[in-house]
Amino acid sequence: ALLDEKIRAAEAAGVRLHLGTEIEVIGGHIGHYSARLTNGEEIEAGAVIMATGAVPYVPSVFDYGRDPRVITNLELEALLPDVAAKRVTFVGCVGSRNEERGCSRYCCASMIQQALALRRQGKYVRVLYRDIRTFSRHAEELYEEAMRAGVQFFRFDSDATPEQALAYQDGVVSFRDHLLGRAIALPTDLLVLVVGLLPGQETVSQQLKVAHSEDGFLLEKHPKLGPAEAGSPGIYLAGACQAPKDVRESVAQALAAAAKASVLLARDTITKEPITASIDSNECTGCGVCQATCPFSAIELLNGTRRHEVAHVIEAACEGCGTCAAACEFDAITMPYFTDAQILAQIDAALADLPEEKVLVFACNWCSYAGADQAGIEKIQYPPVARIIRSMCSGRVEEDFIARAFERGAGAVLVTGCHLGDCHYINANNRTVERFELWRQKFARQGIAPERLQLHWVSAAEGKQFAAKIREMAEVVGGRTRQLTGV
């Protein structure tokens, strides 16, 4: 009913709806996106809002799909208010809060609301839970109301998943009550599995190169500074595509995404930060390595003045990670403010004095550099051996920088960046991993001990972890210094 009302309101406002239609192909960049629909229509847009949602977990436990007395909470919603069963038992956290996924957030409030509705119909209602997590004041009041109405709540082991803590056979649920400390068996006519949410549609997000978090949901630009924005400019996130949410949270984020898109579309021109790659067509050989490397598809190959194609940067799409510059073997790509000459000069300056006692640290702007800053904010003490060189992304670090550091006598080199799956530049740090393994093998053949060249992931909030890693690297440098001096 709510959806139907919103559809009518959208149509009345002049919104063009394509119901029963999917996107076949979508691509482009901020200000110029294009999509082809399954009905053959082509659409162009200046911005994209990802509201692709999530999908419910399909249980494979408690005889679901084989025993008609076992259903999910979503299936129960379709049956209300005509439920024939007299005894109803809910099981929370099915498919949530395990090694693969966290809390699905909507489940507890949904479960309690359904349990209260059934109790008001005179049903015997039991709720088996790990923890009751009420994410709003309304949900907490609903919980209290359900208890007063006679809904019975039983807590099983909070450290175990439902399939580990509960058993179901022939209409009886057995478990050990955490509060009573004894085994309980509950006969039930209807077992309701309250299922979690899984990441939804993949095709569109992959075509638009939207980053995913470790749990598979779409990753926002920044949890506080850009909670409704994707890493790629002009793309915004709304609802459960970004993380499990209830309706209230989804609506709030949708309003934020709409506001952000409106601000963008109200402009005649877009002003970008001047950190975009530039390519020297005279040096470019058209090999296409940079195009394959770019996480934002911001490089295209065009016909050049010579016999081969040359790479060209789509400035509106480039986010300035510098991964392409590190990949180019012909020095044809320049990153403003992070040029080869500038970074090499910083390396020389950092290692000008007692280099064998120094750890040269390459840190990405968004995570590991912020993590180092956080260590300072928290006043965490660690040895003063680190000399930090900032780049926008760990993907900007190239072999020449590592070689220069060791040529200047660095005791050790530490490359740091965002955790895998949590990169500000979609998946640029995956390139770092690929290159690092090759560097380590190559420098090992040159006599550089493997522990002197390390790769470490640090988030912006992990000041303690950054400090701990520097202490570890200080031990590496200290051990080498003792070897060299014989002290």
Side-chain angles (χ1 to χ4, degrees), residues 103-152:
C103 177
S104 287
R105 297 177 66 86
Y106 89 97
C107 322
C108 286
S110 170
M111 173 176 65
I112 294 169
Q113 186 166 352
Q114 290 179 332
L116 180 58
L118 291 171
R119 180 58 189 152
R120 286 171 176 165
Q121 296 175 24
K123 313 293 185 184
Y124 295 103
V125 184
R126 293 79 170 254
V127 172
L128 311 186
Y129 69 96
R130 296 174 69 176
D131 301 291
I132 296 295
R133 293 185 171 184
T134 52
F135 286 95
S136 67
R137 182 178 178 182
H138 167 74
E140 188 168 349
E141 291 173 350
L142 200 66
Y143 175 48
E144 295 174 356
E145 185 179 353
M147 287 192 293
R148 286 194 295 268
V151 175
Q152 294 179 298

Side-chain angles (χ1 to χ4, degrees), residues 40-187:
E41 186 171 351
E42 300 279 346
I43 294 178
E44 291 193 355
V48 174
I49 295 179
M50 299 289 292
T52 51
V55 295
Y57 172 76
V58 178
S60 58
V61 294
F62 305 122
D63 291 336
Y64 176 78
R66 297 184 296 274
D67 190 334
R69 295 169 294 182
V70 183
I71 64 174
T72 68
N73 57 321
L74 299 178
E75 293 167 340
L76 174 64
E77 192 72 22
L79 298 176
L80 291 175
D82 301 319
V83 176
K86 191 66 177 177
R87 299 169 296 184
V88 182
T89 302
F90 289 83
V91 177
C93 295
V94 177
S96 292
R97 297 182 60 196
N98 51 34
E99 293 181 356
E100 299 175 357
R101 288 174 288 276
C103 177
S104 287
R105 297 177 66 86
Y106 89 97
C107 322
C108 286
S110 170
M111 173 176 65
I112 294 169
Q113 186 166 352
Q114 290 179 332
L116 180 58
L118 291 171
R119 180 58 189 152
R120 286 171 176 165
Q121 296 175 24
K123 313 293 185 184
Y124 295 103
V125 184
R126 293 79 170 254
V127 172
L128 311 186
Y129 69 96
R130 296 174 69 176
D131 301 291
I132 296 295
R133 293 185 171 184
T134 52
F135 286 95
S136 67
R137 182 178 178 182
H138 167 74
E140 188 168 349
E141 291 173 350
L142 200 66
Y143 175 48
E144 295 174 356
E145 185 179 353
M147 287 192 293
R148 286 194 295 268
V151 175
Q152 294 179 298
F153 288 84
F154 298 88
R155 186 181 186 188
F156 57 87
D157 186 359
S158 61
D159 293 329
T161 60
E163 53 268 34
Q164 293 170 337
L166 310 176
Y168 174 76
Q169 187 174 10
D170 297 330
V172 177
V173 183
S174 305
F175 62 98
R176 182 174 181 80
D177 187 282
H178 181 73
L179 301 178
L180 295 178
R182 63 189 182 96
I184 291 181
L186 297 176

